Structure formats: structure tokens, C-alpha cells
Amino acid sequence: MSAAIIDGKAFAGALRARIATHAARFEQGAGRKAGLAVVLVGEDPASAVYVRSKGRQTVEAGMASFEHRLPADTDEATLLALIEQLNADPAVDGILVQLPLPAHLSEQTVIAAIDPDKDVDGFHTTNAGRLAVGQKGFVPCTPLGCLMLLKDQLGDLSGLEAVVIGRSNIVGKPMAALLLGESCTVTVAHSRTKNLPDVVRRADIVVAAVGRPLMVQGDWIKPGACVIDVGINRVEGPEGKPMLVGDVDYASGVQVAGAITPVPGGVGPMTIAVLLANTLTAAHARAGLPAPDLS
Ligand code: NDP
């Protein structure tokens, strides 16, 4: 039996279309566009690609994009001053600082400087705390995108066994909190977990966010489980050409799972779509309007 393929690209496209409809309504009602500011420090090529893509999709959704590119040797005071300025700017609803930052800058200090109500990446400890205690707040985009795909595929998640592999602050931990919020029984696995294949085998839902190419094998997966592969790993493909693979061995996983996300085209496209959704939600809150229904 072969798994259903979860088409994140199509799902994200449909979500962006709903966002565009609501963004146009917001502009009519508020007399201004919802706005996202993206700050890029340095010239990391992968980050530059992400920032370009975010800017383009923001504009395509009918929102305003403000890009701030700073040189790699920017000092912390200059970066913090820019964030202060964006916090105070009424045209800016969401602020995203592209990570990773150059080594001399403290990500923790920089994220802490963002107004939590404009923290559309959901990385500020205020928003992490809100998620942990089940209050409304901004949720990191990638795990929220994974949850949307899971609910679309499975409906009610209550009572299901979920195993999240990875415990980073941007994917693993918020993913686990979201699944707990859906009343799953959640296990968080990491590099010290013993007998990982056995842990994964009991899961109805597997979320792999590790960064190790093709680590999760088909025979680790419970037949019929729903597998969400967050990993993006650049490896050498046939004829030495670079290609992207996930953390799950898709070829064997697709034979066993009930549903599975491909890489690319699964979780990846969801991240920016959710970022736009969070920005539009921030804009509504700042304008005193009820949150748009993007479902
Ligand atoms: P991190 O490197 O921050 O975290 C990786 C996690 O995997 C850690 O918790 C680590 O455990 C765990 N881990 C490492 N090796 C093993 C192992 N052998 N067995 C079990 N667990 C292990 O990565 P991120 O969370 O930032 O990202 C994970 C992956 O997701 C990457 O491939 C990244 O590129 C991708 N990603 C994709 C996004 C998208 O838009 N689709 C967005 C963000 C990330 P420990 O804590 O013990 O070290």
C-alpha cells in the first residue's frame, strides 16, 4: 500500500489566496496595507533567497513589504535601534529578523527586543510562554504549518500518539506544545533518545525535525501513520547534482505510512504562508479588528 501524498505546495497556495482576500478587505477597512518588515544582516546566500521569497510573497498577497539589509559587521546597537524604530512604526505589523545572525550578534537579545505583538515568527519568550500555557499568541510558522497539514489530513487529533523528533525552539518544542494542545499523547525525541526506531514505531503521527538526511526509515513507521517531514537537507544526487531530501527516507516511508509529506513540496511552502497569516492577524489585532478566519 502506498501513502497519500500531502501536497503542502497546493495547501500553501490555497492559504495564500485566502490571505490575499482578507488582506484586501483589511486594506479597505483600515485604509492601509498590512505590513511585514524583514531584517537581513549579512550576505548568507540561503538567507538572502528566503528574504527575497518572503518579500515577493508578501507583495503578492497584497501586503506591504519593508526590507532592511544591513552589512555583516553591523553592531548590536545599530540592529537594536532599527528594531526599536520598526516597533514604533505604525505601518509595520510584523517584524522578522532572518536567522542565523552573524556570530557577534546575540539572537536572544535581538529577538527579545521585538515587540511581542509584532513577533510574527513567534520566537519571543513572551509568545513561547503563551504557547506553553495555552494562551493566544504568535506560534512559530513551520510547526503551525505542520499542524495545519495534520488537521487537514486527519481531522481531530485528540488521543493520537505523536512523536516529534527534534527539540529545537523553532520547530520541535513548539510542535510538541501544539500537538499537546490538540490532546495528542506527545513524545519528544532528540539526540539522546534511546531506541529511537521503537519510539517512532508507536506513533500515529511522526514529525521529523532533525536535519539528518533520510534518517527515519520505513520500518520505523507504524503502518498507516501520518508522517510530516520538516527536514531540508542538501545532498549530492545522481550525477553529482545537488538535491534536497528530508529527514525521512521517503522511498521506504511512502510504502508504510498512511500519509506523508514529500521534500520538497511538503512542509517547506507552508512556512512563508503561515508567516503571512501571522502578519495579517497582527495587523487586525493592531487595528482593533477581529482576527480573520483563514480556515
Ligand atoms: P536543530 O539543529 O536546531 O535541531 C535538531 C534537533 O534534532 C535537535 O533537537 C537534536 O537533538 C535532534 N537530533 C539530532 N540528531 C539526532 C538523532 N540522531 N536522533 C534524534 N534526534 C536528533 O534543527 P531545526 O529544528 O532548526 O531544524 C530541523 C530540520 O528542519 C533541519 O533540516 C532544517 O533545515 C529543517 N527546517 C525546515 C523548515 C521549513 O521551512 N520546512 C524550517 C526550519 C527548519 P539535541 O537537542 O539532543 O541536539
Side-chain angles (χ1 to χ4, degrees):
M1 200 189 69
S2 193
I5 312 304
I6 300 175
D7 188 346
K9 197 173 170 197
F11 191 99
L15 176 57
R16 287 200 307 274
R18 294 195 293 279
I19 291 168
T21 303
H22 284 277
R25 272 186 217 152
F26 175 82
E27 187 177 356
Q28 272 189 337
R32 68 171 182 89
K33 287 182 194 285
L36 172 65
V38 177
V39 180
L40 174 64
V41 186
E43 275 110 40
D44 177 62
S47 294
V49 169
Y50 286 134
V51 165
R52 254 200 310 279
S53 203
K54 283 167 187 167
R56 181 174 44 78
Q57 293 190 33
T58 304
V59 171
E60 280 171 8
M63 303 200 260
S65 167
F66 308 102
E67 261 180 50
H68 296 267
R69 288 165 184 267
L70 303 179
D73 61 356
T74 299
D75 61 32
E76 196 166 278
T78 306
L79 180 55
L80 293 178
L82 172 61
I83 291 173
E84 232 5 88
Q85 182 195 318
L86 297 173
N87 283 342
D89 187 340
V92 171
D93 298 295
I95 302 170
L96 179 150
V97 177
Q98 184 67 43
L99 302 179
L101 287 171
H104 68 282
L105 296 169
S106 156
E107 291 184 356
Q108 226 178 328
T109 305
V110 171
I111 290 167
I114 298 172
D115 177 347
D117 294 333
K118 293 190 176 188
D119 168 42
V120 286
D121 244 348
F123 294 165
H124 194 289
T125 50
T126 297
N127 283 316
R130 285 169 177 158
L131 177 60
V133 298
Q135 287 176 6
K136 264 191 193 317
F138 291 111
V139 175
C141 303
T142 302
L144 186 51
C146 293
L147 184 69
M148 287 177 181
L149 295 178
L150 279 167
K151 288 172 84 166
D152 185 58
Q153 189 64 36
L154 299 174
D156 183 13
L157 308 183
S158 152
L160 296 180
E161 286 272 354
V163 171
V164 179
I165 319 174
R167 55 173 165 180
S168 71
N169 290 334
I170 64 168
V171 190
K173 281 182 199 153
M175 188 74 243
L178 285 170
L179 290 166
L180 194 56
E182 296 296 323
S183 299
C184 292
T185 302
V186 183
T187 302
V188 183
H190 46 77
S191 66
R192 308 290 179 90
T193 297
K194 290 186 181 138
N195 303 323
L196 183 60
D198 286 342
V199 172
V200 174
R201 250 174 229 124
R202 64 173 187 244
D204 304 304
I205 293 171
V206 181
V207 181
V210 185
R212 289 186 177 250
L214 312 180
M215 185 184 83
V216 177
Q217 298 295 307
D219 65 0
W220 298 18
I221 295 168
K222 176 173 162 181
C226 188
V227 179
I228 303 290
D229 190 351
V230 182
I232 302 178
N233 307 290
R234 211 168 287 275
V235 297
E236 202 172 287
E239 295 162 24
K241 284 194 184 148
M243 63 182 281
L244 292 182
V245 297
D247 292 339
V248 178
D249 177 32
Y250 184 82
S252 60
V254 76
Q255 305 297 328
V256 189
I260 189 167
T261 56
V263 177
V267 173
M270 291 300 293
T271 300
I272 298 182
V274 174
L275 173 69
L276 302 181
N278 281 354
T279 303
L280 194 59
T281 301
H284 280 72
R286 295 186 59 250
L289 299 167
D293 179 9
L294 297 169
S295 58

